[in-house]
């Protein structure tokens, strides 16, 4: 759900004074006007890691669950890296 809300949906749900510049950006790219390493971005980056650790512990590190949880963690954390700001991998979510 976090991936869909922050990294797949583009544009803004309300009218903005930027004359349409943000319509090509995801919600993650719009947080704090694109400034990296702010408190809100750090919180949204750390929360999936905490959930990952909790789910790994409660599933007793079962290999099947561990692989699924690791894949989901990577799918949420990689788009949050500053190197991927504005990057569209394989042209996905380009328009």
């Amino acid at each position: 759900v976090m991936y869909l809300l922050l990294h797949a949906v583009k544009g803004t749900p309300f009218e903005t004074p930027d004359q349409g510049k943000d319509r090509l950006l995801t919600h993650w790219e719009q947080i704090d006007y694109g400034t990296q390493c702010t408190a809100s971005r750090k919180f949204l980056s750390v929360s999936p890691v905490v959930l990952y650790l909790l789910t790994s512990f409660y599933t007793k590190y079962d290999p099947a669950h561990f692989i699924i949880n690791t894949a989901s963690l990577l799918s949420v954390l990689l788009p949050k890296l500053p190197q991927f700001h504005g990057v569209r991998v394989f042209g996905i979510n380009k328009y």
Side-chain angles (χ1 to χ4, degrees):
V1 171
M2 184 180 274
Y3 174 79
L4 290 175
L5 291 177
L6 292 177
H7 303 291
V9 178
K10 293 170 106 179
T12 56
F14 47 84
E15 188 67 34
T16 58
D18 66 353
Q19 298 181 354
K21 286 189 329 187
D22 286 346
R23 69 181 176 82
L24 297 176
L25 297 176
T26 62
H27 291 289
W28 177 258
E29 295 165 345
Q30 295 175 30
I31 293 176
D32 297 331
Y33 304 105
T35 306
Q36 302 294 324
C37 299
T38 60
S40 58
R41 285 182 181 243
K42 288 178 185 178
F43 173 77
L44 290 171
S45 296
V46 169
S47 59
V49 174
V50 171
L51 289 173
Y52 172 76
L53 293 173
L54 286 173
T55 56
S56 296
F57 175 74
Y58 283 114
T59 58
K60 295 182 173 57
Y61 303 100
D62 178 51
H65 288 104
F66 191 75
I67 291 171
I68 293 169
N69 289 333
T70 303
S72 64
L73 176 71
L74 291 177
S75 73
V76 171
L77 280 185
L78 287 179
K80 287 180 173 48
L81 293 174
Q83 293 84 359
F84 287 113
H85 184 79
V87 175
R88 304 293 180 252
V89 179
F90 304 120
I92 297 171
N93 203 7
K94 186 176 179 181
Y95 300 108

